[in-house]
Amino acid sequence: MNAKKSIQLLGNYSLLTILGFVFALPFLYTLYTSFITMRDVNTFTWITNWTVDNYKLFFTNEAYNVPKWLMNTVIMTGIVILGNLIINPMAGFALAKLDFKGKKLIYWIVVASMMVPYHMILIPVYVNVAQIGWLNTFYALTVPFLYQCLYIFMLRQFFISVPTEFIEAARLDGLTKMGAFWRIVYPLAKSSLITMSILAFAGTWNSYLIPSTLANDPEKYVLVVGLNSVKDMFFENTPLIMAGVVLSTLPILIFFFLFQRQYIEGISSSGVKG
Amino acid sequence: MAAYGNENAEMRLNNGKKQSWLRSLADSDLAVGWLFTLPFLVLWAWWFFYPFLQSFIRSFQDANFASLGDAKFIGLQNYVQILNDSEFYRAVIHSLQIVVIAVPLQTILGLIMAILVNQKLKGKGMFRTLFFIPYITSQIAITTVFMMLFKQGTFVTEFFTFFGFDNATWFADTRYALLFVAILFIFQQAGFSMIVYLSALQEVPKDLYEAGQMDGASKWAQFRYITVPYVKPITFFVVSVATILGFQIYDQIAAISRYGALGSPAGATSTVVTYFYQHGIRYMEIGYGSAAVVLFFFIIMIITFLQKKLLDDKG
């Protein structure tokens, strides 16, 4: 029995190690290569020969201005999350706790829109953005994305679970239904709102299709689009590109390690519900 | 008691008589309901519903970005032209190939990883994070790293050459490029499936396994007759999410199409998505591209419907 168990344990560990190796390799290679010179690519060189020149270039070169791209990404992501934090809970609350004419239709709109891939509307969105002169502006990257039907749906599910007595008690204390939402119910939704913000953060930060379509002026590049252009321009310079990969993914990785627990809970709860 | 409380509240309400009109508005379901959904509805109508309708309308027009004002209705001509374009069928087949290769593999890999990190092992948290990180990293970054790894002369290409593959940069070789995209998708999506499976595995009752052990069931039998049936509904979720995402792949292909048109090398990675993007956005053939998008939408709907039907019949 014991021998069988240890063989099994050994098997588990070997499988884990192989998979772990495959998954860790790209990251280790990226990190290592970003610190060496082009001459040393694909050879092993000691830490004494390492250099930070690859990184330096991104902060000194005008055309490849990582701080600028970072700023663009932060502005885009920040505005989108802010909008989602206001618009989604308001709509979710109305659909969960208020009784009004037209509610069924709005709920149907939310659920049906959730199913439509964004590709479906990309061409007209591009045309509309161009026609109102929003190409290469933050308006184009943020205004259409200030709400998300999936999150309205998620928050509605949460608000349904809030006892209606809470709202009634608040009204007895002199608050209106609107006041009860902002003062009582909204703060109660804190953990749902954090989960939503984390999912929205990762989705917006990593997006490529939309920013590359609506803002292709290097001045307005976000990190992901900028990284792709660096890769195309300096394709032979692996160390430089790898430094770009590290710089552009570092913020999201730090963010992930800070909020790992909530993020994973958000993912798995969306899975169980689906 | 309750009646007393209500009186009290009414008294307090009366105190603020000046604002009683506004107050009753802020307390009415109808007013607050519409006020609270209004920002969403405005943005939705402007940035979803209107474009959604336009996609359909434009698909029947001969519309070019430069002369949108003079767009003429041409009936089904765009559709006829697409359905006569061999490039479109090639794109559909590529989309299907990616899904057929990547979806089952990422599902199985996700389940294996979930089972492995669900056991009482040292360092399982570290492995869990490691497997999940590709999912939260941008597709462009992952694709970039894999392109660097698959350049000539790296240890990865040497490794594959050793196992009998041609010495080729996969992303630039028409024979391997589609497989390269599928691998990228598996690498990225398996971590998501792992997390979803993990939450399902943690709900499998422990005594089921204990009972299985008592009856002398092997590990494989336990997996086959306890775990697999138990995670079946989750498998449906994992497979349908991956299928839909598989059909929507764009970033990876955009990243490997460096100099050439989308779907490089030589159209070997063209998909339904790159087909409509190329026509609708790059060439600015708004009408033709829209018709391709509508077809893309129907393909996704048909696949979703078939999947549902297939799993409903089985279950």
Side-chain angles (χ1 to χ4, degrees):
Chain A
M1 191 65 196
N2 237 342
K4 207 178 150 194
K5 255 207 169 129
S6 26
I7 287 171
Q8 202 190 322
L9 203 66
L10 192 73
N12 282 339
Y13 264 119
S14 353
L15 200 52
L16 257 184
T17 312
I18 293 168
L19 280 173
F21 185 70
V22 172
F23 273 76
L25 209 68
F27 291 96
L28 296 176
Y29 183 75
T30 304
L31 206 58
Y32 167 72
T33 309
S34 75
F35 284 109
I36 60 176
T37 60
M38 246 176 108
R39 198 166 24 95
D40 292 329
V41 172
N42 291 323
T43 59
F44 188 76
T45 175
W46 280 109
I47 197 160
T48 43
N49 294 326
W50 291 15
T51 164
V52 290
D53 284 354
N54 301 314
Y55 288 92
K56 250 193 214 151
L57 206 70
F58 284 107
F59 293 92
T60 50
N61 187 327
E62 277 291 305
Y64 290 95
N65 196 335
V66 164
K68 173 102 193 162
W69 297 342
L70 179 67
M71 202 59 195
N72 290 344
T73 316
V74 168
I75 293 172
M76 171 179 82
T77 312
I79 296 174
V80 166
I81 289 181
L82 208 65
N84 276 272
L85 275 173
I86 299 166
I87 293 171
N88 297 341
M90 273 166 55
F93 175 76
L95 293 178
K97 287 291 175 195
L98 301 177
D99 196 19
F100 58 101
K101 216 177 156 115
K103 176 170 137 170
K104 274 218 178 94
L105 175 70
I106 299 175
Y107 178 68
W108 187 85
I109 285 175
V110 170
V111 174
S113 310
M114 240 162 60
M115 319 269 182
V116 179
Y118 203 82
H119 301 62
M120 182 64 198
I121 59 169
L122 187 68
I123 295 173
V125 164
Y126 174 79
V127 172
N128 296 344
V129 161
Q131 280 178 340
I132 53 178
W134 278 9
L135 278 185
N136 295 315
T137 65
F138 282 116
Y139 297 114
L141 296 182
T142 54
V143 175
F145 312 101
L146 295 176
Y147 74 96
Q148 263 224 40
C149 289
L150 174 67
Y151 302 142
I152 293 178
F153 182 79
M154 268 170 60
L155 288 166
R156 173 185 171 270
Q157 302 302 97
F158 170 79
F159 288 130
I160 283 177
S161 73
V162 174
T164 308
E165 287 79 33
F166 284 16
I167 301 165
E168 290 310 313
R171 291 177 71 211
L172 287 181
D173 286 338
L175 285 175
T176 60
K177 282 190 178 166
M178 198 197 264
F181 170 69
W182 290 115
R183 301 261 202 94
I184 312 290
V185 182
Y186 191 81
L188 279 177
K190 200 174 143 196
S191 74
S192 295
L193 291 170
I194 290 177
T195 303
M196 180 200 83
S197 308
I198 292 168
L199 296 178
F201 181 94
T204 313
W205 190 277
N206 287 333
S207 64
Y208 173 79
L209 175 67
I210 288 157
S212 68
T213 307
L214 302 180
N216 48 23
D217 169 12
E219 274 295 296
K220 281 292 183 294
Y221 275 175
V222 292
L223 278 172
V224 172
V225 180
L227 171 68
N228 198 39
S229 85
V230 168
K231 181 209 72 198
D232 288 352
M233 296 284 258
F234 302 104
F235 196 73
E236 300 313 320
N237 194 341
T238 307
L240 179 76
I241 292 170
M242 290 313 207
V245 169
V246 173
L247 284 174
S248 67
T249 49
L250 204 59
I252 191 95
L253 289 182
I254 293 172
F255 175 84
F256 175 69
F257 282 109
L258 289 176
F259 295 102
Q260 189 173 8
R261 198 176 48 82
Q262 288 101 320
Y263 187 92
I264 286 179
E265 268 168 26
I267 296 271
S268 31
S269 70
S270 76
V272 172
K273 263 175 213 139
Chain B
M1 269 308 265
Y4 179 74
N6 271 335
E7 254 166 58
N8 228 352
E10 254 162 56
M11 267 164 61
R12 247 174 270 152
L13 279 176
N14 288 336
N15 285 341
K17 217 165 198 166
K18 263 185 284 174
Q19 296 184 336
S20 66
W21 175 77
L22 260 180
R23 265 199 80 91
S24 64
L25 211 61
D27 207 35
S28 125
D29 277 23
L30 185 69
V32 179
W34 279 95
L35 189 72
F36 271 22
T37 47
L38 197 65
F40 156 67
L41 286 172
V42 169
L43 286 171
W44 176 82
W46 186 14
W47 291 110
F48 182 89
F49 190 55
Y50 176 57
F52 187 75
L53 291 180
Q54 275 185 316
S55 276
F56 284 99
I57 295 168
R58 295 281 187 211
S59 74
F60 300 109
Q61 287 182 338
D62 177 21
N64 200 290
F65 187 74
S67 53
L68 273 180
D70 319 320
K72 281 191 303 284
F73 279 94
I74 51 166
L76 292 170
Q77 215 170 298
N78 287 328
Y79 291 97
V80 172
Q81 213 177 322
I82 292 172
L83 294 175
N84 278 315
D85 183 1
S86 61
E87 282 301 311
F88 179 71
Y89 293 99
R90 199 166 164 219
V92 173
I93 289 169
H94 288 160
S95 286
L96 288 170
Q97 280 177 327
I98 292 175
V99 168
V100 169
I101 298 169
V103 172
L105 285 177
Q106 73 84 28
T107 308
I108 294 166
L109 186 60
L111 181 58
I112 290 174
M113 295 191 311
I115 290 171
L116 285 174
V117 300
N118 192 37
Q119 287 168 329
K120 286 196 194 103
L121 290 177
K122 267 203 188 115
K124 65 178 179 178
M126 190 190 76
F127 283 109
R128 212 180 281 187
T129 306
L130 184 64
F131 296 152
F132 190 64
I133 279 181
Y135 181 73
I136 59 135
T137 316
S138 83
Q139 274 100 322
I140 297 292
I142 301 272
T143 309
T144 302
V145 169
F146 272 72
M147 285 172 85
M148 298 299 121
L149 280 169
F150 276 86
K151 274 181 174 175
Q152 289 277 343
T154 65
F155 63 93
V156 174
T157 35
E158 307 262 305
F159 174 83
F160 281 109
T161 316
F162 181 78
F163 282 95
F165 287 85
D166 289 326
N167 186 10
T169 39
W170 286 26
F171 55 87
D173 191 305
T174 48
R175 290 165 303 169
Y176 297 123
L178 203 64
L179 183 62
F180 186 75
V181 173
I183 291 172
L184 289 169
F185 183 70
I186 295 168
F187 186 71
Q188 191 130 42
Q189 196 60 24
F192 171 83
S193 305
M194 173 193 75
I195 293 294
V196 176
Y197 270 128
L198 201 55
S199 63
L201 286 178
Q202 280 159 357
E203 278 163 31
V204 182
K206 289 253 160 30
D207 32 329
L208 275 183
Y209 290 112
E210 277 160 27
Q213 259 168 7
M214 298 260 265
D215 294 344
S218 67
K219 273 277 160 188
W220 169 251
Q222 288 178 35
F223 171 75
R224 177 70 191 80
Y225 296 105
I226 301 172
T227 313
V228 169
Y230 214 91
V231 298
K232 201 178 158 195
I234 290 295
T235 302
F236 174 64
F237 174 76
V238 166
V239 168
S240 41
V241 166
T243 305
I244 297 209
L245 290 178
F247 270 107
Q248 294 183 10
I249 281 186
Y250 173 77
D251 297 6
Q252 291 91 330
I253 296 169
I256 67 170
S257 304
R258 278 203 310 139
Y259 299 122
L262 270 178
S264 293
T269 60
S270 69
T271 63
V272 189
V273 174
T274 64
Y275 185 85
F276 92 70
Y277 196 95
Q278 186 82 6
H279 286 282
I281 307 249
R282 294 264 171 98
Y283 301 159
M284 306 244 173
E285 303 164 349
I286 307 297
Y288 191 83
S290 296
V293 164
V294 172
L295 289 174
F296 163 76
F297 186 55
F298 280 122
I299 292 174
I300 287 211
M301 292 219 300
I302 291 168
I303 302 273
T304 313
F305 176 79
L306 286 180
Q307 271 188 337
K308 238 192 167 98
K309 191 118 181 79
L310 205 73
L311 267 111
D312 281 351
D313 286 352
K314 270 194 188 164

